[in-house]
Amino acid sequence: MARKIRDIMTGSPTSVSPELDIVTVARAMRDEDIGAVLVAEGDDLLGLVTDRDLVIRGLAAGGDPARARIGGLASNVTATIGPDDSLDKAAQIMRERAVRRLPVLEDGRPVGIVSIGDLAIEKDSASALADISAARSTF
């Protein structure tokens, strides 16, 4: 059983420039089969954008998605975790902050993302959330 975040996190997270347009980021998320990207300039984490953000803050807001910049949709990162932190700490932070994903930072640089699904698979593999999270996308 994994004991540290580094054991379950998605490493090498996809980071995008805040200047990229929504369509480009949506296509990258589709092509990489991911639900979230980090918004960063160099090693500086500026925010996080999920597929839901693309729909709610991007498409539903109107305007031209090819012209709208992803930096304008990014959620502020209210919490992060380190790769050597415990799974229990991640669960506690997610519960307290009501977030489903945590960027993993090492020496101030993003090195991964851990999701509530990652925790469910590891901590309670028989749960419905773990079963859903472990399923491969068919898109």
Side-chain angles (χ1 to χ4, degrees), residues 3 5 18 22 24 36 42 45 51 63 75-76 78 81 89-91 109 130:
R3 297 279 184 232
I5 294 300
I22 295 171
T24 299
L45 180 60
D51 45 7
S75 298
N76 292 330
T78 61
I81 196 155
K89 182 175 181 179
R109 295 179 304 106

Side-chain angles (χ1 to χ4, degrees), residues 38-123:
L38 300 178
V39 179
E41 286 184 319
D43 287 340
D44 294 329
L45 180 60
L46 304 177
L48 181 122
V49 172
T50 66
D51 45 7
R52 185 173 193 276
D53 293 331
L54 290 175
V55 173
I56 302 299
R57 295 185 192 155
L59 297 176
D64 182 355
R67 299 185 79 163
R69 300 295 163 229
I70 204 70
L73 302 182
S75 298
N76 292 330
V77 175
T78 61
T80 63
I81 196 155
D84 293 321
D85 287 329
S86 71
L87 306 186
D88 289 337
K89 182 175 181 179
Q92 177 184 352
I93 292 169
M94 287 179 178
R95 186 174 29 257
E96 290 172 356
R97 301 292 178 113
V99 296
R100 292 176 174 85
R101 294 173 180 90
L102 288 173
V104 181
L105 301 183
E106 187 168 42
D107 299 325
R109 295 179 304 106
V111 295
I113 296 178
V114 65
S115 72
I116 194 169
D118 297 330
L119 290 176
I121 290 168
E122 188 59 35
K123 293 181 78 56

Side-chain angles (χ1 to χ4, degrees), residues 18-48:
E19 297 305 315
L20 281 180
D21 62 90
I22 295 171
V23 173
T24 299
V25 174
R27 286 179 180 150
M29 292 171 78
R30 176 200 61 201
D31 294 347
E32 296 179 36
D33 193 25
I34 56 175
V37 296
L38 300 178
V39 179
E41 286 184 319
D43 287 340
D44 294 329
L45 180 60
L46 304 177
L48 181 122

